[in-house]
């Protein structure tokens, strides 16, 4: 009769890394250790491995008294990866050929990790969003700004001298009028920083923009600059629908904000597919680049006969299928039938729909893309909801269609056809 060894416990530990709350942030060269404890001593070979939640291999490096240590060293060439605080991909041990090791009883083992891990990979942080407490704040009033970063940032803690605190070392934001906002450490976390700005006399915030950030570093100690790499002026990357946009479903048209996880929507091919997630992204006009966040209004009939059926409002980066090409709405602007919409609130919310794959919904009758991984979910207000629902992550590959991101990339034939509709649609 074959011997079966009972796996009785799984523990985790880390070499280096920075702990913030319930999260351990790991740089290249840091190590995740997972220790298996057995009721006996199964015959395992160095190089056997287990799988971490996102598929990374932790290999067996030592065995001592029934304890088997598997290690994963964050490689220097890795891209930022979340290994979420849930569990191993499985407790199964694989040999060097990828075959599960036999003779081990894995039943009833708590193999959850105690924390999240994030491979920072020495890349500069990116601002995912900038929001303001309110707009057009007047003299002597306080404006609160919240910056959400893609990874933790560090700053010098205020130095206390008896009853006095020296605030000079706290990070600041510098505005285009030369004024500064100071970090409020009591409201901030490692990835979300809150700054307060008291408006001076004869000032308001209607045309205020951030020009620099001071006193922040990444976990490697490198200064954080502003604008940040790959983040645009404010880090806002928006590819969504405005509220009120009607999405076609098997039961008729539904406003995008009324959709929920599990609801069925119709694709341009007529398939009914369930919604996996509705992303919400709040935008403040006060500090955002208008070219990136103001919605694009496509008036009824601007794209084709009765397309859209009603005026369609989407973000500039949201792609629509026009004559076989995915064209981002901002690239279609002509100033008449397709234009930037300035009549929006100071703070408003975009909605995005995620399906199991990158597909085309019918928004006001127009084929419009669903979520694709080109947009980071961390930029959404409720990205933690996605994290809880899909801890292993969801990979969404882009449709194999040509994409035009700027006006010059739009084929001349499409430009000419749409130009011919400007008088028809505007009539």
């Amino acid at each position: 009769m074959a011997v079966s060894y009972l796996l009785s416990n799984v523990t985790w530990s880390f070499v280096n890394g920075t702990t913030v709350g319930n999260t351990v942030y790991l740089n290249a060269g840091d190590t995740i250790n997972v220790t298996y404890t057995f009721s006996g001593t199964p015959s395992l070979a160095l190089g056997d491995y287990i799988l971490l939640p996102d598929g990374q291999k932790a290999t067996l490096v030592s065995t001592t008294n029934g304890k088997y240590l598997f290690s994963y060293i964050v490689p220097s060439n890795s891209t930022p990866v979340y290994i979420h605080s849930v569990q191993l991909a499985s407790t199964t041990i694989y040999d060097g050929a990828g075959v599960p090791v036999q003779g081990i009883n894995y039943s009833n083992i708590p193999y959850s990790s105690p924390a999240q891990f994030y491979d920072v990979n020495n890349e500069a942080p990116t601002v995912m969003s900038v929001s303001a407490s309110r707009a057009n704040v007047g003299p002597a009033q306080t404006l609160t700004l919240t910056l959400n970063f893609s990874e933790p940032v560090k700053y010098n803690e205020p130095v206390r001298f008896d009853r006095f605190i020296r605030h000079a070392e706290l990070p600041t934001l510098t505005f285009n009028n030369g004024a500064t906002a100071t970090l409020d450490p009591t409201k901030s976390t490692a990835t979300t920083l809150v700054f307060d700005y008291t408006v001076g006399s004869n000032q308001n915030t209607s045309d205020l923009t951030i020009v620099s950030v001071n006193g922040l570093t990444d976990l490697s100690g490198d200064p954080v600059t502003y604008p940040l790499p790959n983040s645009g002026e404010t880090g806002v990357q928006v590819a969504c629908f405005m509220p009120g946009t009607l999405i076609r479903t098997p039961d008729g048209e539904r406003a995008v904000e009324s959709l929920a996880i599990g609801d069925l929507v119709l694709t341009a091919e007529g398939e009914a597919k369930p919604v996996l997630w509705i992303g919400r992204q709040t935008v403040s006009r006060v500090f955002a680049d208008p070219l990136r966040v103001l919605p694009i209004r496509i008036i009824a009939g601007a794209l084709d006969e009765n397309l859209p059926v009603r005026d369609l409002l989407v973000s500039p980066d949201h792609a629509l299928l026009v004559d076989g090409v995915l064209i981002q709405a901002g690239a279609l602007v002509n100033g008449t039938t397709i234009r930037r919409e300035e009549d929006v609130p100071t703070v408003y919310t975009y909605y995005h729909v995620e399906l199991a794959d990158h597909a085309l919904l019918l928004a006001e009758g127009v084929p419009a893309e669903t979520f694709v991984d080109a947009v980071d979910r961390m930029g959404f207000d409720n990205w933690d909801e996605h994290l809880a629902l899909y801890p292993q992550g969801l990979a969404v590959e882009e449709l194999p269609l040509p994409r035009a991101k700027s006006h010059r990339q739009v084929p001349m034939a499409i430009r000419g056809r749409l130009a011919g509709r400007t008088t028809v649609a505007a009539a």
Side-chain angles (χ1 to χ4, degrees):
M1 182 175 177
V3 177
S4 179
Y5 295 97
L6 177 65
L7 176 59
S8 58
N9 195 25
V10 175
T11 59
W12 298 69
S13 62
F14 315 99
V15 179
N16 298 323
T18 301
T19 302
V20 181
N22 72 334
T23 304
V24 177
Y25 296 94
L26 301 174
N27 285 292
D30 295 346
T31 303
I32 300 171
N33 288 326
V34 183
T35 301
Y36 278 24
T37 301
F38 291 93
S39 57
T41 54
S43 179
L44 299 178
L46 299 183
D48 291 351
Y49 65 89
I50 58 176
L51 293 176
L52 297 174
D54 287 332
Q56 299 91 337
K57 294 180 181 179
T59 57
L60 182 63
V61 296
S62 68
T63 63
T64 306
N65 299 325
K67 294 183 183 294
Y68 293 72
L69 176 63
F70 296 84
S71 289
Y72 170 73
I73 300 175
V74 179
S76 59
N77 62 346
S78 65
T79 55
V81 166
Y82 268 106
I83 304 175
H84 305 305
S85 57
V86 280
Q87 57 188 31
L88 297 169
S90 75
T91 48
T92 303
I93 301 172
Y94 300 87
D95 64 20
V99 178
V101 174
Q102 301 299 307
I104 296 176
N105 182 353
Y106 298 105
S107 62
N108 301 319
I109 299 303
Y111 50 95
S112 294
S113 66
Q116 297 177 22
F117 323 108
Y118 184 61
D119 167 18
V120 180
N121 195 32
N122 297 321
E123 293 190 356
T126 296
V127 170
M128 306 306 299
S129 65
V130 178
S131 60
S133 56
R134 49 183 174 160
N136 299 324
V137 177
Q141 294 180 317
T142 299
L143 175 71
T144 298
L145 294 172
T146 301
L147 276 65
N148 291 304
F149 288 82
S150 60
E151 64 183 60
V153 292
K154 296 192 302 183
Y155 55 89
N156 293 324
E157 296 288 345
V159 180
R160 181 181 295 275
F161 296 100
D162 297 327
R163 292 173 298 171
F164 301 100
I165 297 178
R166 186 176 71 190
H167 288 282
E169 294 186 4
L170 284 174
T172 58
L173 302 177
T174 301
F175 301 117
N176 56 331
N177 64 358
T180 58
T182 303
L183 180 81
D184 184 342
T186 65
K187 300 176 184 176
S188 300
T189 67
T191 55
T192 300
L193 301 187
V194 178
F195 294 82
D196 291 326
Y197 167 53
T198 301
V199 181
S201 59
N202 301 319
Q203 292 181 344
N204 61 59
T205 60
S206 59
D207 58 354
L208 207 60
T209 58
I210 302 170
V211 295
S212 68
V213 59
N214 318 292
L216 293 177
T217 70
D218 61 17
L219 293 184
S220 300
D222 297 322
V224 173
T225 59
Y226 193 95
L228 292 143
N230 305 315
S231 65
E233 183 175 342
T234 63
V236 177
Q237 185 178 17
V238 186
C240 315
F241 301 102
M242 282 289 282
T245 301
L246 295 182
I247 305 297
R248 191 166 301 172
T249 77
D251 299 319
E253 308 291 326
R254 292 269 304 275
V256 65
E257 68 271 22
S258 72
L259 294 174
I261 294 171
D263 288 347
L264 294 178
V265 294
L266 286 178
T267 68
E269 293 76 24
E271 296 181 79
K273 294 189 174 184
V275 173
L276 297 189
W277 185 60
I278 299 293
R280 300 188 307 275
Q281 188 170 19
T282 301
V283 174
S284 171
R285 294 181 59 186
V286 180
F287 295 99
D289 179 358
L291 296 179
R292 302 198 64 173
V293 302
L294 283 182
I296 306 301
R297 179 181 289 274
I298 304 170
I299 72 170
L303 301 179
D304 211 332
E305 190 67 27
N306 294 320
L307 285 180
V309 177
R310 303 188 315 154
D311 286 9
L312 173 62
L313 286 162
V314 296
S315 61
D317 291 338
H318 202 129
L320 311 174
L321 186 67
V322 181
D323 297 350
V325 180
L326 282 174
I327 305 178
Q328 295 184 184
L332 292 170
V333 170
N334 59 24
T336 55
T337 57
I338 305 174
R339 58 183 182 268
R340 300 189 191 281
E341 180 60 58
E342 296 188 359
D343 185 19
V344 293
T346 301
V347 178
Y348 51 97
T349 301
Y350 279 111
Y351 294 83
H352 211 336
V353 180
E354 181 170 355
L355 307 182
D357 53 8
H358 187 214
L360 296 169
L361 300 178
L362 293 175
E364 306 294 356
V366 177
E369 68 177 337
T370 59
F371 180 85
V372 65
D373 279 346
V375 176
D376 197 322
R377 296 183 185 92
M378 285 184 66
F380 290 93
D381 302 349
N382 59 329
W383 78 276
D384 56 338
E385 175 187 65
H386 193 284
L387 185 65
L389 288 168
Y390 311 107
Q392 306 291 343
L394 293 177
V396 182
E397 293 186 8
E398 188 167 358
L399 284 166
L401 292 170
R403 178 182 287 264
K405 298 181 179 181
S406 64
H407 182 70
R408 64 180 178 81
Q409 294 176 332
V410 178
M412 290 298 296
I414 296 178
R415 291 193 221 174
R417 187 181 70 77
L418 295 183
R421 296 200 58 78
T422 55
T423 56
V424 176

